[in-house]
Amino acid sequence: MLRWLKEDSSRRKQPEIFESVVSGLQDFYKDVILPLEEHYQFSEFHSPPLDPADFAANPMILLVGQYSTGKTTFIRYLLEQDFPGIRVGPEPTTDGFIAVMHGEKESVIPGNALVVDPKRQFRKLSIFGNAFLNRFQCSMTPNKVLQSITIVDTPGILSGEKQRVDRGYDFVGVLEWFAERADRILLLFDAHKLDISDEFRRSIEALKGHDHKIRIVLNKSDMIDHQQLMRVYGALMWSLGKVLNTPEVARVYIGSFWDKPLQHDTNRKLFELEAKDLFCDLQSLPRNTALRKLNDLIKRAKLAKVHAYIISSLQEQMPSMFGKDSKKNQLIQNLHEVYRDVEKKYGISPGDFPPLGKMREALKDQDFTKFHTLRPRLISKVDNMLATGMTKLMTMIPQEEAMNKIDHVIRGGAFHHTENSPFAGGEGEGADYGKGELTEWVVNQKMDQYEPMFDALGPIDGKISGATAKKEMVKSKLPNTVLGRIWKLADVDKDGMLDKEEYALAQHLIEIKLENNELPQALPAHLIPPSKREFAD
């Protein structure tokens, strides 16, 4: 348990005790941010207030994509089992939102029951009405993967305006609600269908502001050959560039995330490495969940503060008696000028302001006469929290991990095969080639090739100098920094020279690097020459 002082100019300084970073964030929100939000009607413009369950929830992965891109199959791929309510097919099978969570036994909780459960983070979804809640459920299943993460499956997105109307609820609004709370957003594309429909475009646009959470998955890539895959990848990046409008290109993972045989296995190694990278990215979510929640709360606090400045500025310009409606319309029309005035007056960064179009729409239904003037005390408390409180909470994160020895690893399902398995991505390749072999030293397989090269260098007493080895090693055209690492790994006995086995090892490491594999940080046991095992730690 960690103790430190939280300053508050409104009262005497008192010691504040937080059992964890999450409890500290929850207290800051309740005591500092929420009063500001309530005073300036923040929830009517942006997002509903946060519940305690929002802070305690597991990391959430949100899957978004058009129909038949493999969203539901991707979940089954991760879990390696079915879950209650699963439906898979080429037609649009998932017609609602499904939160897949851990439970002691398999069960399905309907949406209306889910939003009244104080232990779940979905209570605020009730604002979207029964039309949505009838198409929302939680699938509980005993799976180790779900002990660390929650996965949300979304309806397959079709094209045309009719689909949006027929849903009967604000689909984009629901998507935006989940995106705000998600730790990772996976946009899935089918290698055969790269067109971005109107509703999919609106859905992607709703994810703006969460660009750092977005990853792209080009699924079913084994259905096309290598040449077609390169063309599809280029077309996908071109299409995304028109929609995402970000200076940085989103990370794209290429593969086929299901348990069927590969149709074209020429890209098998690429798929394995891409899957390994994706798993590493998902594995980071439980480890970084406290930091993500802290970051999101800081963003929310800044938005709440800017919102207060905007609302109070609008209130100041309203007439006391006559012409209120015309003045309201004028202020909404000239909202960009209000933004500019607030930016100059309070030194706010332009990136901290809410989207202009969205704010204009929200203001149309508001009664400006009910807006409040600026309360400096509420702003001061938020400023103090951002300046000192959040910094102290950030320092608690590594301390908390060290004290509690938390195991931030997703276990079970497909993640189980990424550890200690010859079928994990990259296993048995590069520096790992020969690992676990019970026979000879793996470098011996090419000793007939390396030995004449060594003899041609004129060894003295069975060894060659560093200068002599360098003349041969630079022929690989690898940078000196890389060759320097190879030298340190190969010179096992650290005598500044290489004997025949050490020279063969150096050539083996050079070939590993030339094949675009990474060099090991330290020489693994299976690469140590037999005559040098005494030098192994």
Side-chain angles (χ1 to χ4, degrees), residues 201-326:
R201 179 184 296 272
R202 285 192 295 269
S203 300
I204 295 176
E205 289 172 350
L207 303 178
K208 288 183 178 178
H210 308 287
D211 303 323
H212 61 289
K213 301 179 182 180
I214 295 177
R215 303 291 186 271
I216 312 298
V217 176
L218 182 55
N219 202 13
K220 303 182 182 181
S221 298
D222 70 306
M223 306 297 287
I224 54 179
D225 60 30
H226 182 77
Q227 184 179 16
Q228 289 176 316
L229 181 59
M230 294 300 101
R231 291 174 178 170
V232 166
Y233 179 82
L236 174 63
M237 299 307 294
W238 180 81
S239 299
L240 287 173
K242 296 172 63 179
V243 179
L244 290 176
N245 266 336
T246 55
E248 297 180 359
V249 178
R251 176 65 165 92
V252 179
Y253 298 96
I254 303 173
S256 291
F257 299 95
W258 59 357
D259 56 3
K260 306 298 182 183
L262 299 178
Q263 297 296 315
H264 294 87
D265 64 350
T266 52
N267 294 310
R268 185 187 190 97
K269 183 176 180 180
L270 171 65
F271 297 159
E272 289 177 355
L273 295 176
E274 291 287 282
K276 181 179 180 181
D277 288 349
L278 178 58
F279 283 140
C280 288
D281 183 68
L282 298 182
Q283 284 281 17
S284 70
L285 299 182
R287 183 170 61 252
N288 297 328
T289 183
L291 190 59
R292 194 275 302 171
K293 290 175 180 176
L294 184 145
N295 181 66
D296 284 354
L297 196 63
I298 290 175
K299 287 173 58 179
R300 189 180 180 101
K302 289 182 177 180
L303 180 59
K305 193 173 78 165
V306 172
H307 177 77
Y309 286 140
I310 295 172
I311 296 300
S312 61
S313 178
L314 292 172
Q315 194 277 336
E316 290 174 0
Q317 300 181 54
M318 286 295 291
S320 57
M321 296 193 62
F322 303 108
K324 294 180 180 179
D325 289 341
S326 59

Side-chain angles (χ1 to χ4, degrees), residues 17-200:
I17 299 176
F18 293 132
E19 293 184 355
S20 66
V21 174
V22 171
S23 67
L25 293 172
Q26 186 174 333
D27 287 350
F28 271 136
Y29 178 73
K30 181 181 66 176
D31 299 336
V32 180
I33 303 174
L34 184 58
L36 182 67
E37 291 185 358
E38 292 176 338
H39 193 67
Y40 295 101
Q41 303 166 290
F42 180 87
S43 61
E44 297 183 22
F45 292 83
H46 306 288
S47 60
L50 300 177
D51 282 334
D54 289 313
F55 294 92
N58 278 339
M60 182 189 296
I61 299 174
L62 178 65
L63 304 184
V64 182
Q66 300 184 123
Y67 76 95
S68 191
T69 55
K71 298 187 300 298
T72 306
T73 305
F74 182 84
I75 299 177
R76 191 187 186 287
Y77 173 82
L78 293 182
L79 304 183
E80 293 191 338
Q81 70 173 66
D82 291 341
F83 56 87
I86 185 174
R87 292 177 61 201
V88 178
E91 74 282 0
T93 51
T94 303
D95 61 351
F97 286 77
I98 302 177
V100 187
M101 304 181 72
H102 181 267
E104 295 302 322
K105 60 180 181 179
E106 289 194 348
S107 62
V108 174
I109 305 176
N112 281 286
L114 198 58
V115 296
V116 297
D117 186 351
K119 296 180 180 179
R120 308 290 176 191
Q121 66 269 41
F122 307 114
R123 298 183 69 187
K124 301 302 180 182
L125 283 169
S126 59
I127 63 174
F128 294 103
N130 282 329
F132 163 70
L133 296 179
N134 290 335
R135 297 190 176 278
F136 176 47
Q137 69 179 47
C138 177
S139 295
M140 310 287 290
T141 186
N143 188 283
K144 286 186 177 180
V145 173
L146 299 174
Q147 291 178 348
S148 302
I149 58 175
T150 295
I151 308 174
V152 178
D153 194 7
T154 60
I157 299 173
L158 298 177
S159 60
E161 187 70 17
K162 183 175 182 295
Q163 176 65 26
R164 184 182 69 87
V165 175
D166 285 348
R167 291 191 189 276
Y169 62 90
D170 183 7
F171 173 76
V172 174
V174 174
L175 202 62
E176 193 171 357
W177 188 94
F178 276 105
E180 183 178 349
R181 288 155 179 80
D183 294 73
R184 186 67 73 236
I185 303 170
L186 298 183
L187 296 182
L188 276 78
F189 288 85
D190 186 334
H192 281 106
K193 296 181 296 187
L194 295 183
D195 58 306
I196 298 178
S197 66
D198 297 337
E199 189 178 29
F200 196 19

Side-chain angles (χ1 to χ4, degrees), residues 475-489:
K475 294 179 181 179
S476 66
K477 300 182 180 180
L478 290 172
N480 285 344
T481 52
V482 175
L483 293 175
R485 285 183 59 193
I486 292 174
W487 171 268
K488 290 180 179 179
L489 291 170

Side-chain angles (χ1 to χ4, degrees), residues 300-365:
R300 189 180 180 101
K302 289 182 177 180
L303 180 59
K305 193 173 78 165
V306 172
H307 177 77
Y309 286 140
I310 295 172
I311 296 300
S312 61
S313 178
L314 292 172
Q315 194 277 336
E316 290 174 0
Q317 300 181 54
M318 286 295 291
S320 57
M321 296 193 62
F322 303 108
K324 294 180 180 179
D325 289 341
S326 59
K327 185 61 176 179
K328 171 184 173 179
N329 293 331
Q330 180 186 346
L331 288 172
I332 293 175
Q333 185 66 28
N334 299 326
L335 188 60
H336 60 283
E337 295 181 1
V338 177
Y339 274 29
R340 185 171 61 248
D341 293 341
V342 170
E343 179 184 342
K344 291 181 179 179
K345 184 176 181 180
Y346 299 104
I348 305 296
S349 170
D352 289 340
F353 284 85
L356 191 61
K358 180 181 176 182
M359 194 67 177
R360 280 198 178 111
E361 286 297 319
L363 284 169
K364 290 178 180 179
D365 299 325

